[in-house]
Amino acid sequence: MSAPQHDPELFDELMRAELRNQPISRYAIATLVSGLLGGLLAPVFGAVAISRIRKQKQRGLVLVICGLVAFTAWTGVAAYRIAIGAAWWQQRQAGQGRLPEGVAHGLDLAVGECFRAPAVSGEADVFRIPCTAQHTGEAFEVLPLGEGPMPDILEVYRNTLARCEADARPVPGVRVQVVTPTSSSWEGGKHRAVCYYHFAAEVTGPVR
């Protein structure tokens, strides 16, 4: 007598029917919902769901995977927002006057101080350098601008630059520039302008 023949397609259909009869793990559903909502318990639910699916032959492994993927995505978004928030806080602290060591507000320069000159006139933070070291800028005059409301920014720039050029020494290869306040620095009490020499190349030693 020949051995009974098994129908593979019938066997697969019976297996699919058996799987459909298995209950879906409630923890798998909880993992999916928690993951989609960014809940911190998604990994816990996922671990319990996987354990029960294996031991009690329940369905829901796909739901667990989807929930954990969603939770991972939410974690990435949260990490990105935290990083952005930290960068914003550092900028805010810097905006409140907490500058890195060696850096000074251009309007806080004193006569005779040397630094790395900004490319153009206006308000800028500068890096102070001893005049005996290589530098490209040297402050030579501080102009008080009085009290009251701030004048027109363009007018302040034109008038102070003209005064700086009139008071500067004739030095070959040097451009005269000026640090002028903005409305925010004016409100902060910096009612002055700083004249400085901008050297074409790095020099050592003050202007004599």
Side-chain angles (χ1 to χ4, degrees):
M1 174 180 287
S2 61
Q5 299 295 320
H6 296 285
D7 187 345
E9 294 183 0
L10 177 59
F11 178 78
D12 291 342
E13 180 61 30
L14 291 175
M15 290 299 298
R16 285 193 292 268
E18 179 65 22
L19 290 174
R20 286 194 295 268
N21 291 330
Q22 294 176 351
I24 298 177
S25 171
R26 289 179 295 178
Y27 284 96
I29 298 174
T31 303
L32 177 62
V33 174
S34 181
L36 292 175
L37 297 178
L40 297 179
L41 293 178
V44 178
F45 290 146
V48 176
I50 292 174
S51 176
R52 295 203 170 207
I53 288 172
R54 290 177 176 176
K55 292 180 180 180
Q56 301 180 9
K57 296 182 178 180
Q58 295 179 337
R59 290 184 295 156
L61 185 59
V62 174
L63 299 181
V64 174
I65 294 174
C66 292
L68 293 179
V69 169
F71 172 77
T72 303
W74 273 110
T75 303
V77 171
Y80 174 77
R81 290 181 176 178
I82 291 173
I84 293 297
W88 172 84
W89 178 255
Q90 292 175 353
Q91 292 177 355
R92 182 173 182 270
Q93 295 292 71
Q96 292 176 347
R98 300 182 181 180
L99 297 174
E101 184 178 357
V103 177
H105 194 286
L107 293 174
D108 292 332
L109 290 169
V111 174
E113 284 193 304
C114 298
F115 54 95
R116 292 198 178 278
V120 296
S121 294
E123 186 182 72
D125 296 330
V126 298
F127 190 80
R128 283 192 177 108
I129 299 175
C131 291
T132 54
Q134 291 185 336
H135 59 276
T136 56
E138 179 183 341
F140 67 88
E141 188 173 5
V142 177
L143 304 174
L145 300 179
E147 300 300 324
M150 181 179 177
D152 179 73
I153 294 179
L154 183 58
E155 179 183 350
V156 170
Y157 168 71
R158 289 174 176 172
N159 292 341
T160 55
L161 180 60
R163 292 172 62 183
C164 292
E165 291 175 338
D167 296 341
R169 297 178 183 179
V171 181
V174 170
R175 185 168 74 254
V176 175
Q177 293 184 194
V178 60
V179 182
T180 53
T182 62
S183 57
S184 59
S185 57
W186 185 276
E187 291 177 359
K190 299 182 187 296
H191 298 181
R192 56 187 173 273
V194 178
C195 306
Y196 65 93
Y197 299 114
H198 188 175
F199 308 105
E202 292 183 338
V203 298
T204 54
V207 173
R208 302 186 185 278

